[in-house]
Amino acid sequence: MLAERRHQLILRALRSGGPAAVTDLSEQLGVSPATIRRDLVKLEEEGLLTRVHGGAVVDEGDQPFAEVAEMRVPEKDAIAAHAAAMVADGQSVLLDIGTTAYRLARQLHGRRLTVITSNLVVYEELADDEGIELVLLGGMVRREYRSLVGFLTEDNLRQLHADWLFLGTSGVRPGGQVMDTTVVEVPVKRAMIKAGEKVVLLADSAKFPGTGMAKVCGPEDLDVVVTNAPVGAATRSSLEEAGVEVIVAGEVQA
């Protein structure tokens, strides 16, 4: 097993089960305790976990892009396919950070569009598609989550306007508030909302209520929510009271 894959599995085990002993991780991954110890040293150096006596613990927070990208792919693809169908050729599309936005980018190949993004994986996906006018926002690179953030990104967004913004989230509260786990991403998301004519939130079923301590926006800032499963009654009521259209991908719309 490659070290990178092993590191992903160690972090996943710690996030899902809490602190873990070296011996337990060794058995789960089928490698020696010495290998696990070396992995833990490396991951601690990168600031992704804290070693404790006999094992390690990881603080809850934003998971690395590569790890999140493997989760709920069919659900994200269903949402992405519906979102892509909302866009007409010739329009401009602003894509947020995150893995669902990346799945949406994969659906846009061969289209005649302008795509604006601070998502480096979206940029890499569309860079060779000559039919797409691609605008990469500037900013400080967040390597683990493959995104650009900071005042440069926000300044770039103030100069732009897009027909569509497809926004990601860590969680949606019952009152319809859109949340994020990483404070540094919030100002960029807010600047994106101001730059988008139509704001579409892409949120799979795990995002209700999901996680997040920082509020990005309220339901009044959204036009549409696209998800893959029925939304709880309280959340749906809050969204619809604010005039938000809630679309469940795969359902026939009236």
mmCIF file with all atom_site columns, all heavy atoms in Angstrom, residues 205-222:
data_model
loop_
_atom_site.group_PDB
_atom_site.id
_atom_site.type_symbol
_atom_site.label_atom_id
_atom_site.label_alt_id
_atom_site.label_comp_id
_atom_site.label_asym_id
_atom_site.label_entity_id
_atom_site.label_seq_id
_atom_site.pdbx_PDB_ins_code
_atom_site.Cartn_x
_atom_site.Cartn_y
_atom_site.Cartn_z
_atom_site.occupancy
_atom_site.B_iso_or_equiv
_atom_site.pdbx_formal_charge
_atom_site.auth_seq_id
_atom_site.auth_comp_id
_atom_site.auth_asym_id
_atom_site.auth_atom_id
_atom_site.pdbx_PDB_model_num
ATOM 1   N N   . SER A 1 205 ? -26.973 14.480 1.131  1.00 0.00 ? 205 SER A N   1
ATOM 2   C CA  . SER A 1 205 ? -27.770 14.221 2.334  1.00 0.00 ? 205 SER A CA  1
ATOM 3   C C   . SER A 1 205 ? -26.966 14.317 3.622  1.00 0.00 ? 205 SER A C   1
ATOM 4   O O   . SER A 1 205 ? -27.523 14.640 4.682  1.00 0.00 ? 205 SER A O   1
ATOM 5   C CB  . SER A 1 205 ? -28.425 12.840 2.234  1.00 0.00 ? 205 SER A CB  1
ATOM 6   O OG  . SER A 1 205 ? -27.438 11.829 2.057  1.00 0.00 ? 205 SER A OG  1
ATOM 7   N N   . ALA A 1 206 ? -25.644 14.084 3.549  1.00 0.00 ? 206 ALA A N   1
ATOM 8   C CA  . ALA A 1 206 ? -24.803 14.150 4.747  1.00 0.00 ? 206 ALA A CA  1
ATOM 9   C C   . ALA A 1 206 ? -24.641 15.577 5.260  1.00 0.00 ? 206 ALA A C   1
ATOM 10  O O   . ALA A 1 206 ? -24.172 15.794 6.381  1.00 0.00 ? 206 ALA A O   1
ATOM 11  C CB  . ALA A 1 206 ? -23.432 13.540 4.459  1.00 0.00 ? 206 ALA A CB  1
ATOM 12  N N   . LYS A 1 207 ? -25.034 16.567 4.459  1.00 0.00 ? 207 LYS A N   1
ATOM 13  C CA  . LYS A 1 207 ? -24.867 17.967 4.856  1.00 0.00 ? 207 LYS A CA  1
ATOM 14  C C   . LYS A 1 207 ? -26.064 18.506 5.646  1.00 0.00 ? 207 LYS A C   1
ATOM 15  O O   . LYS A 1 207 ? -26.096 19.688 5.984  1.00 0.00 ? 207 LYS A O   1
ATOM 16  C CB  . LYS A 1 207 ? -24.641 18.833 3.608  1.00 0.00 ? 207 LYS A CB  1
ATOM 17  C CG  . LYS A 1 207 ? -23.478 18.377 2.737  1.00 0.00 ? 207 LYS A CG  1
ATOM 18  C CD  . LYS A 1 207 ? -22.168 18.393 3.485  1.00 0.00 ? 207 LYS A CD  1
ATOM 19  C CE  . LYS A 1 207 ? -21.020 17.835 2.658  1.00 0.00 ? 207 LYS A CE  1
ATOM 20  N NZ  . LYS A 1 207 ? -20.715 18.610 1.462  1.00 0.00 ? 207 LYS A NZ  1
ATOM 21  N N   . PHE A 1 208 ? -27.035 17.658 5.915  1.00 0.00 ? 208 PHE A N   1
ATOM 22  C CA  . PHE A 1 208 ? -28.211 18.070 6.679  1.00 0.00 ? 208 PHE A CA  1
ATOM 23  C C   . PHE A 1 208 ? -28.268 17.288 7.991  1.00 0.00 ? 208 PHE A C   1
ATOM 24  O O   . PHE A 1 208 ? -28.739 16.159 8.003  1.00 0.00 ? 208 PHE A O   1
ATOM 25  C CB  . PHE A 1 208 ? -29.492 17.849 5.864  1.00 0.00 ? 208 PHE A CB  1
ATOM 26  C CG  . PHE A 1 208 ? -29.563 18.649 4.596  1.00 0.00 ? 208 PHE A CG  1
ATOM 27  C CD1 . PHE A 1 208 ? -29.115 18.113 3.402  1.00 0.00 ? 208 PHE A CD1 1
ATOM 28  C CD2 . PHE A 1 208 ? -30.083 19.934 4.596  1.00 0.00 ? 208 PHE A CD2 1
ATOM 29  C CE1 . PHE A 1 208 ? -29.176 18.843 2.218  1.00 0.00 ? 208 PHE A CE1 1
ATOM 30  C CE2 . PHE A 1 208 ? -30.147 20.673 3.420  1.00 0.00 ? 208 PHE A CE2 1
ATOM 31  C CZ  . PHE A 1 208 ? -29.693 20.123 2.230  1.00 0.00 ? 208 PHE A CZ  1
ATOM 32  N N   . PRO A 1 209 ? -27.764 17.763 9.127  1.00 0.00 ? 209 PRO A N   1
ATOM 33  C CA  . PRO A 1 209 ? -27.246 19.120 9.335  1.00 0.00 ? 209 PRO A CA  1
ATOM 34  C C   . PRO A 1 209 ? -25.758 19.274 9.034  1.00 0.00 ? 209 PRO A C   1
ATOM 35  O O   . PRO A 1 209 ? -25.261 20.391 8.995  1.00 0.00 ? 209 PRO A O   1
ATOM 36  C CB  . PRO A 1 209 ? -27.516 19.354 10.813 1.00 0.00 ? 209 PRO A CB  1
ATOM 37  C CG  . PRO A 1 209 ? -27.341 18.000 11.428 1.00 0.00 ? 209 PRO A CG  1
ATOM 38  C CD  . PRO A 1 209 ? -27.878 17.028 10.407 1.00 0.00 ? 209 PRO A CD  1
ATOM 39  N N   . GLY A 1 210 ? -25.018 18.185 8.851  1.00 0.00 ? 210 GLY A N   1
ATOM 40  C CA  . GLY A 1 210 ? -23.598 18.300 8.572  1.00 0.00 ? 210 GLY A CA  1
ATOM 41  C C   . GLY A 1 210 ? -22.823 18.894 9.728  1.00 0.00 ? 210 GLY A C   1
ATOM 42  O O   . GLY A 1 210 ? -23.179 18.717 10.886 1.00 0.00 ? 210 GLY A O   1
ATOM 43  N N   . THR A 1 211 ? -21.759 19.628 9.390  1.00 0.00 ? 211 THR A N   1
ATOM 44  C CA  . THR A 1 211 ? -20.896 20.228 10.401 1.00 0.00 ? 211 THR A CA  1
ATOM 45  C C   . THR A 1 211 ? -20.656 21.696 10.062 1.00 0.00 ? 211 THR A C   1
ATOM 46  O O   . THR A 1 211 ? -21.139 22.198 9.058  1.00 0.00 ? 211 THR A O   1
ATOM 47  C CB  . THR A 1 211 ? -19.548 19.498 10.468 1.00 0.00 ? 211 THR A CB  1
ATOM 48  O OG1 . THR A 1 211 ? -18.928 19.562 9.162  1.00 0.00 ? 211 THR A OG1 1
ATOM 49  C CG2 . THR A 1 211 ? -19.714 18.040 10.862 1.00 0.00 ? 211 THR A CG2 1
ATOM 50  N N   . GLY A 1 212 ? -19.875 22.361 10.920 1.00 0.00 ? 212 GLY A N   1
ATOM 51  C CA  . GLY A 1 212 ? -19.492 23.742 10.634 1.00 0.00 ? 212 GLY A CA  1
ATOM 52  C C   . GLY A 1 212 ? -19.821 24.684 11.765 1.00 0.00 ? 212 GLY A C   1
ATOM 53  O O   . GLY A 1 212 ? -20.932 24.675 12.287 1.00 0.00 ? 212 GLY A O   1
ATOM 54  N N   . MET A 1 213 ? -18.838 25.499 12.135 1.00 0.00 ? 213 MET A N   1
ATOM 55  C CA  . MET A 1 213 ? -19.041 26.468 13.205 1.00 0.00 ? 213 MET A CA  1
ATOM 56  C C   . MET A 1 213 ? -19.184 27.882 12.658 1.00 0.00 ? 213 MET A C   1
ATOM 57  O O   . MET A 1 213 ? -19.610 28.793 13.386 1.00 0.00 ? 213 MET A O   1
ATOM 58  C CB  . MET A 1 213 ? -17.856 26.426 14.169 1.00 0.00 ? 213 MET A CB  1
ATOM 59  C CG  . MET A 1 213 ? -16.549 26.871 13.568 1.00 0.00 ? 213 MET A CG  1
ATOM 60  S SD  . MET A 1 213 ? -15.241 26.954 14.803 1.00 0.00 ? 213 MET A SD  1
ATOM 61  C CE  . MET A 1 213 ? -13.873 27.568 13.790 1.00 0.00 ? 213 MET A CE  1
ATOM 62  N N   . ALA A 1 214 ? -18.836 28.095 11.391 1.00 0.00 ? 214 ALA A N   1
ATOM 63  C CA  . ALA A 1 214 ? -18.851 29.441 10.820 1.00 0.00 ? 214 ALA A CA  1
ATOM 64  C C   . ALA A 1 214 ? -20.002 29.578 9.838  1.00 0.00 ? 214 ALA A C   1
ATOM 65  O O   . ALA A 1 214 ? -20.153 28.764 8.923  1.00 0.00 ? 214 ALA A O   1
ATOM 66  C CB  . ALA A 1 214 ? -17.530 29.727 10.112 1.00 0.00 ? 214 ALA A CB  1
ATOM 67  N N   . LYS A 1 215 ? -20.810 30.621 10.018 1.00 0.00 ? 215 LYS A N   1
ATOM 68  C CA  . LYS A 1 215 ? -21.947 30.848 9.129  1.00 0.00 ? 215 LYS A CA  1
ATOM 69  C C   . LYS A 1 215 ? -21.494 31.547 7.853  1.00 0.00 ? 215 LYS A C   1
ATOM 70  O O   . LYS A 1 215 ? -20.841 32.589 7.895  1.00 0.00 ? 215 LYS A O   1
ATOM 71  C CB  . LYS A 1 215 ? -23.013 31.686 9.843  1.00 0.00 ? 215 LYS A CB  1
ATOM 72  C CG  . LYS A 1 215 ? -24.228 31.979 8.978  1.00 0.00 ? 215 LYS A CG  1
ATOM 73  C CD  . LYS A 1 215 ? -25.247 32.834 9.732  1.00 0.00 ? 215 LYS A CD  1
ATOM 74  C CE  . LYS A 1 215 ? -26.394 33.240 8.824  1.00 0.00 ? 215 LYS A CE  1
ATOM 75  N NZ  . LYS A 1 215 ? -27.371 34.110 9.522  1.00 0.00 ? 215 LYS A NZ  1
ATOM 76  N N   . VAL A 1 216 ? -21.844 30.952 6.721  1.00 0.00 ? 216 VAL A N   1
ATOM 77  C CA  . VAL A 1 216 ? -21.545 31.549 5.418  1.00 0.00 ? 216 VAL A CA  1
ATOM 78  C C   . VAL A 1 216 ? -22.647 32.515 5.018  1.00 0.00 ? 216 VAL A C   1
ATOM 79  O O   . VAL A 1 216 ? -22.405 33.656 4.628  1.00 0.00 ? 216 VAL A O   1
ATOM 80  C CB  . VAL A 1 216 ? -21.385 30.455 4.345  1.00 0.00 ? 216 VAL A CB  1
ATOM 81  C CG1 . VAL A 1 216 ? -21.187 31.085 2.960  1.00 0.00 ? 216 VAL A CG1 1
ATOM 82  C CG2 . VAL A 1 216 ? -20.223 29.538 4.686  1.00 0.00 ? 216 VAL A CG2 1
ATOM 83  N N   . CYS A 1 217 ? -23.900 32.064 5.105  1.00 0.00 ? 217 CYS A N   1
ATOM 84  C CA  . CYS A 1 217 ? -25.025 32.894 4.708  1.00 0.00 ? 217 CYS A CA  1
ATOM 85  C C   . CYS A 1 217 ? -26.313 32.311 5.262  1.00 0.00 ? 217 CYS A C   1
ATOM 86  O O   . CYS A 1 217 ? -26.330 31.187 5.793  1.00 0.00 ? 217 CYS A O   1
ATOM 87  C CB  . CYS A 1 217 ? -25.112 33.013 3.186  1.00 0.00 ? 217 CYS A CB  1
ATOM 88  S SG  . CYS A 1 217 ? -25.549 31.463 2.344  1.00 0.00 ? 217 CYS A SG  1
ATOM 89  N N   . GLY A 1 218 ? -27.388 33.053 5.124  1.00 0.00 ? 218 GLY A N   1
ATOM 90  C CA  . GLY A 1 218 ? -28.699 32.569 5.489  1.00 0.00 ? 218 GLY A CA  1
ATOM 91  C C   . GLY A 1 218 ? -29.444 32.079 4.263  1.00 0.00 ? 218 GLY A C   1
ATOM 92  O O   . GLY A 1 218 ? -28.978 32.253 3.125  1.00 0.00 ? 218 GLY A O   1
ATOM 93  N N   . PRO A 1 219 ? -30.621 31.504 4.453  1.00 0.00 ? 219 PRO A N   1
ATOM 94  C CA  . PRO A 1 219 ? -31.381 30.985 3.307  1.00 0.00 ? 219 PRO A CA  1
ATOM 95  C C   . PRO A 1 219 ? -31.795 32.084 2.333  1.00 0.00 ? 219 PRO A C   1
ATOM 96  O O   . PRO A 1 219 ? -31.980 31.818 1.140  1.00 0.00 ? 219 PRO A O   1
ATOM 97  C CB  . PRO A 1 219 ? -32.595 30.319 3.966  1.00 0.00 ? 219 PRO A CB  1
ATOM 98  C CG  . PRO A 1 219 ? -32.713 30.954 5.312  1.00 0.00 ? 219 PRO A CG  1
ATOM 99  C CD  . PRO A 1 219 ? -31.315 31.253 5.734  1.00 0.00 ? 219 PRO A CD  1
ATOM 100 N N   . GLU A 1 220 ? -31.914 33.303 2.825  1.00 0.00 ? 220 GLU A N   1
ATOM 101 C CA  . GLU A 1 220 ? -32.320 34.411 1.947  1.00 0.00 ? 220 GLU A CA  1
ATOM 102 C C   . GLU A 1 220 ? -31.292 34.714 0.861  1.00 0.00 ? 220 GLU A C   1
ATOM 103 O O   . GLU A 1 220 ? -31.599 35.402 -0.127 1.00 0.00 ? 220 GLU A O   1
ATOM 104 C CB  . GLU A 1 220 ? -32.586 35.677 2.777  1.00 0.00 ? 220 GLU A CB  1
ATOM 105 C CG  . GLU A 1 220 ? -31.380 36.275 3.460  1.00 0.00 ? 220 GLU A CG  1
ATOM 106 C CD  . GLU A 1 220 ? -31.001 35.604 4.778  1.00 0.00 ? 220 GLU A CD  1
ATOM 107 O OE1 . GLU A 1 220 ? -31.680 34.635 5.184  1.00 0.00 ? 220 GLU A OE1 1
ATOM 108 O OE2 . GLU A 1 220 ? -30.004 36.051 5.401  1.00 0.00 ? 220 GLU A OE2 1
ATOM 109 N N   . ASP A 1 221 ? -30.065 34.216 1.021  1.00 0.00 ? 221 ASP A N   1
ATOM 110 C CA  . ASP A 1 221 ? -29.013 34.446 0.025  1.00 0.00 ? 221 ASP A CA  1
ATOM 111 C C   . ASP A 1 221 ? -28.980 33.375 -1.062 1.00 0.00 ? 221 ASP A C   1
ATOM 112 O O   . ASP A 1 221 ? -28.169 33.458 -1.988 1.00 0.00 ? 221 ASP A O   1
ATOM 113 C CB  . ASP A 1 221 ? -27.647 34.510 0.706  1.00 0.00 ? 221 ASP A CB  1
ATOM 114 C CG  . ASP A 1 221 ? -27.526 35.695 1.645  1.00 0.00 ? 221 ASP A CG  1
ATOM 115 O OD1 . ASP A 1 221 ? -27.787 36.827 1.195  1.00 0.00 ? 221 ASP A OD1 1
ATOM 116 O OD2 . ASP A 1 221 ? -27.184 35.496 2.827  1.00 0.00 ? 221 ASP A OD2 1
ATOM 117 N N   . LEU A 1 222 ? -29.824 32.371 -0.935 1.00 0.00 ? 222 LEU A N   1
ATOM 118 C CA  . LEU A 1 222 ? -29.851 31.265 -1.891 1.00 0.00 ? 222 LEU A CA  1
ATOM 119 C C   . LEU A 1 222 ? -31.048 31.386 -2.832 1.00 0.00 ? 222 LEU A C   1
ATOM 120 O O   . LEU A 1 222 ? -32.089 31.939 -2.466 1.00 0.00 ? 222 LEU A O   1
ATOM 121 C CB  . LEU A 1 222 ? -29.937 29.925 -1.157 1.00 0.00 ? 222 LEU A CB  1
ATOM 122 C CG  . LEU A 1 222 ? -28.873 29.621 -0.097 1.00 0.00 ? 222 LEU A CG  1
ATOM 123 C CD1 . LEU A 1 222 ? -29.196 28.308 0.599  1.00 0.00 ? 222 LEU A CD1 1
ATOM 124 C CD2 . LEU A 1 222 ? -27.478 29.591 -0.713 1.00 0.00 ? 222 LEU A CD2 1
#
